[in-house]
């Protein structure tokens, strides 16, 4: 168990108090014993002196030994002590407790020697006969002339004094222990009180470590603990501020990474993915959870990419940036990968940046296709013109009826060229936003009727029936009238072109939710299913043999105009039975009164609604 601080503080005091108590007990009881022994000695000496004075005449006379024994016994009884009368020659003359005849010469006893030499002697000895310690006090017995007649010795057993000293020691010890206990209790309480702020501080530190950055302990104390508490609070504030700043930076960084169009991926020294942003996950067709911790080759299983990454990690180009274009074939992606050595702690990792160039690549393809298409489209009428010019120059010019015919054909070719150039210009203007839509509430009839009027003669010449179905009270559309008319014209013109004589073309308009649905239905040749999705592309012609003088741009222009209005355009067809082209235009709101013309950019048209 970890020793608690309160015990580490309290225990030395408790031990000290116990040691002091014990020491004091021993010292005091010894002192008391010594004082009592000195008192006893003085008492015994006084008694001995009294007895010596009383026994002197008897010793001087010829008193018999039994009488001295008797005297000794009487005195002993009244004093409660042992009395021994020793003659000048050391022979015991009278004894209260022992058999005198068994006793040896006492002249060499310490107390006797001392008494003879100094006038009083004492000795403490263990009496083997009695089995306990005795105190002997002796004084000389002097005759009438001052001559020494013998020695009077009084003795007392010390066991009582020892017992008294023991009792005293016990009481002192008990009292000392009680005091020590109290003092120990006090020491523990005080130590507990002193260490309480430290315990609280520990609790707060543990809460902070567990994530509660606002945990604090307030102290107004001026002592060390108070200072420690304040310093700790200050430190916690700093840590919280730093953690908050780090969190914010982290959040900013992840926001940037997540919203970046480029894919970012970091691998560690072992080649495992440590970070992957949303774009990289999308480009590599994985997700963050799957990718993290797996090897780069597993996350990006594309040979050129892995080779490039390996090149950054090892080999002759180690430590150098690697840049290359990589085709991720399975997903039809075309990526530019930039792989840079990236130090992480002490180990080298790699920073992989993936830029999606698919769109740019596609645009490049479109541009290339466009140029090749346009050259192809121009070549036919130009070759025709060239042939006609050559024919004229070759002599046909001198044959007026033939020359006239050739000139008419040349005129038609030039018209076709002019139409194509105009359509191209129109398309490019719409695409580049240079020709903003002039949106206004426009009655449906204004869109449909003029277009039909223009094409009616052509339809009649082709032997086609042209019908219009307009609702009686159709709401107006929010549209650029001229452009909307162009859409209808293109669709009806196609219907006329691709419907054999005797067919029928029906143009209808009906309100659908917030829009108006325009449809142009014919009973013509129809469009093969595989072409249906592509006919709105530039220059796309479903059936080149039958498309006649078309440029393949009409539907592309129609699509751009309709989408510019925020509408949709599509086609339905069954080959050989006819086609239906539909498009929607937004309904004008009431406040957008007819004639309330408004110049808006194409991109704004939806927002305005
Ligand atoms: P074009 O100037 O050649 O008509 P469009 O973009 O208008 O160019 O049309 C593209 C192609 O879509 C046409 O060449 C034709 O193959 C097909 N198409 C368009 N309208 C119809 C229709 N009503 N019936 C059959 N095919 C059509």
């Amino acid at each position: 168990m970890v020793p608690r601080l309160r015990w580490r503080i309290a225990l030395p005091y408790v031990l000290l108090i116990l040691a002091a108590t014990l020491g004091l007990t021993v010292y005091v009881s010894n002192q008391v014993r010594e004082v009592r022994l000195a008192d006893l000695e003085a008492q015994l000496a006084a008694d001995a002196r009294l007895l010596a004075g009383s026994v002197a005449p008897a010793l001087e006379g010829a008193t018999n030994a039994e009488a001295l024994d008797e005297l000794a016994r009487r005195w002993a009884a009244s004093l409660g002590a042992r009395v021994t009368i020793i003659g000048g020659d050391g022979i015991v003359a009278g004894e209260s407790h022992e058999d005198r005849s068994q006793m040896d010469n006492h002249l060499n006893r310490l107390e006797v020697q001392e008494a003879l030499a100094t006038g009083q002697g004492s000795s403490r000895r263990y009496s083997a006969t009695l089995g306990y310690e005795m105190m002997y006090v002796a004084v000389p017995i002097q005759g009438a002339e001052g001559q020494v007649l013998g020695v009077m010795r009084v003795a007392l057993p010390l066991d009582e004094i020892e017992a008294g000293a023991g009792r005293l020691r016990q009481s002192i010890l008990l009292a000392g222990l009680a005091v020590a206990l109290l003092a120990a209790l006090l020491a523990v309480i005080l130590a507990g009180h002193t260490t309480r702020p430290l315990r609280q501080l520990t609790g707060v530190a543990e809460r902070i470590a567990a994530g509660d950055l606002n945990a604090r302990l307030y102290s107004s104390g001026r002592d060390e603990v108070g200072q420690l508490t304040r310093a700790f609070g200050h430190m916690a504030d700093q840590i919280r501020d730093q953690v908050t700043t780090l969190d914010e930076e982290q959040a900013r960084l992840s926001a940037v990474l997540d919203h970046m169009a480029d894919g970012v991926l970091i691998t560690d020294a072992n080649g495992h993915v440590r970070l992957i942003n949303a774009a990289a996950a999308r480009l590599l067709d994985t997700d963050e959870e799957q990718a993290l911790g797996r090897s780069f080759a597993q996350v990006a299983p594309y040979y050129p990419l892995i080779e490039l990454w390996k090149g950054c990690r090892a080999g002759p180009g180690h430590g150098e940036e690697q840049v290359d274009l990589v085709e991720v074939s399975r997903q039809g992606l075309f990526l530019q990968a930039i792989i840079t050595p990236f130090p992480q702690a002490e180990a080298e990792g790699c920073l992989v940046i993936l830029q999606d160039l698919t769109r740019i690549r596609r645009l490049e393809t479109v541009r290339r296709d466009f140029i090749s298409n346009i050259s192809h489209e121009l070549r036919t009428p130009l070759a025709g013109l060239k042939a006609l010019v050559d024919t004229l120059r070759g002599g046909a010019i001198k044959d007026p009826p033939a020359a006239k015919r050739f000139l008419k054909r040349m005129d038609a070719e030039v018209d076709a060229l002019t139409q194509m150039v105009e359509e191209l210009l129109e398309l490019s203007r719409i695409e580049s936003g240079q020709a903003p839509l002039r949106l206004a509430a426009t009655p449906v009839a204004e869109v449909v009727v003029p277009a039909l009027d223009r094409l009616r003669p052509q339809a009649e010449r082709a032997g086609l029936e042209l019908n219009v179905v307009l609702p009686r009270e159709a709401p107006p559309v929010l549209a650029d009238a001229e452009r909307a008319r162009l859409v209808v014209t293109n669709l009806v013109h196609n219907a006329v072109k691709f419907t054999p004589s005797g067919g029928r073309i029906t143009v209808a308009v009906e309100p659908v939710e917030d829009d108006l649905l325009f449809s142009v239905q014919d009973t013509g040749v129809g469009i093969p299913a595989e072409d249906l999705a592509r006919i709105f592309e530039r220059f796309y012609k479903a059936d080149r043999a039958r498309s006649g003088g078309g440029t393949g741009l009409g539907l592309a222009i129609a699509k751009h105009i309709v989408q510019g209005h925020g509408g949709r355009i599509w086609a339905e067809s069954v080959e050989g039975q006819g086609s239906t082209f539909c498009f929607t235009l937004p309904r004008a709101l009431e406040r957008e009164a007819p004639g309330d013309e408004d110049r808006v950019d194409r991109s704004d048209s939806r927002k305005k609604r």
Side-chain angles (χ1 to χ4, degrees), residues 494 497-498 522 527 535 540-543 550-552 554-555 579 581:
N494 278 348
K497 273 199 296 188
F498 295 104
D522 64 51
I527 305 162
I535 49 172
Y540 195 83
K541 295 177 195 168
D543 184 347
T551 57
L555 286 180
S579 322
F581 281 80

Side-chain angles (χ1 to χ4, degrees), residues 117-288:
T118 64
Q120 182 181 326
S122 72
S123 167
R124 278 178 237 162
R125 291 197 291 281
Y126 181 77
S127 161
T129 345
L130 297 172
Y132 43 75
E133 210 179 11
M134 298 281 288
M135 175 182 270
Y136 300 92
V137 177
V139 294
I141 306 169
Q142 287 169 323
E145 278 96 42
Q147 78 281 24
V148 174
L149 298 175
V151 173
M152 170 58 73
R153 192 182 75 169
V154 184
L156 256 186
L158 288 179
D159 57 346
E160 237 176 78
I161 292 189
E162 291 299 347
R167 276 196 303 278
L168 184 72
R169 214 178 292 135
Q170 214 174 12
S171 337
I172 294 176
L173 198 65
L174 277 178
L177 279 180
V179 170
L181 204 68
L182 271 178
L185 205 66
L186 203 65
V188 170
I189 291 172
L190 279 178
H193 188 71
T194 311
T195 54
R196 195 177 58 198
L198 293 180
R199 284 198 305 277
Q200 290 172 333
L201 215 52
T202 310
V204 170
E206 280 167 355
R207 275 169 58 199
I208 291 177
D212 178 6
L213 292 180
N214 288 320
R216 291 288 180 282
L217 185 66
Y218 294 99
S219 164
S220 54
R222 296 166 140 262
D223 56 3
E224 288 86 343
V225 178
Q227 284 172 1
L228 174 66
T229 308
R230 279 190 292 280
F232 184 85
H234 186 59
M235 183 188 75
D237 286 346
Q238 301 256 329
I239 290 176
R240 185 189 51 201
D241 291 350
Q242 281 179 10
V243 169
T244 312
T245 314
L246 279 179
D247 278 353
E248 280 170 9
E249 271 175 24
Q250 177 86 35
R252 265 201 294 273
L253 188 67
S254 4
V256 169
L257 281 176
D258 279 347
H259 291 96
M260 259 175 89
D262 290 351
V264 176
L265 186 145
I266 292 176
T267 58
D268 62 14
N270 299 322
H272 292 146
V273 174
R274 284 278 153 256
L275 180 146
I276 181 166
N277 74 345
R282 182 173 44 75
L283 291 175
L284 298 173
D285 193 23
T286 178
D287 61 49
E288 192 178 342

Side-chain angles (χ1 to χ4, degrees), residues 405-445:
R405 224 173 38 246
F406 286 140
L407 274 178
K408 205 174 160 200
R409 278 177 56 192
M410 283 170 81
D411 194 35
E413 294 289 7
V414 170
D415 277 353
L417 275 174
T418 313
Q419 192 200 342
M420 185 159 77
V421 169
E422 268 171 11
E423 281 181 347
L424 271 175
L425 269 177
E426 175 71 4
L427 194 59
S428 116
R429 266 205 303 272
I430 296 171
E431 275 183 333
S432 64
Q434 278 174 8
L437 294 173
R438 296 158 174 270
L439 291 183
T442 314
V444 171

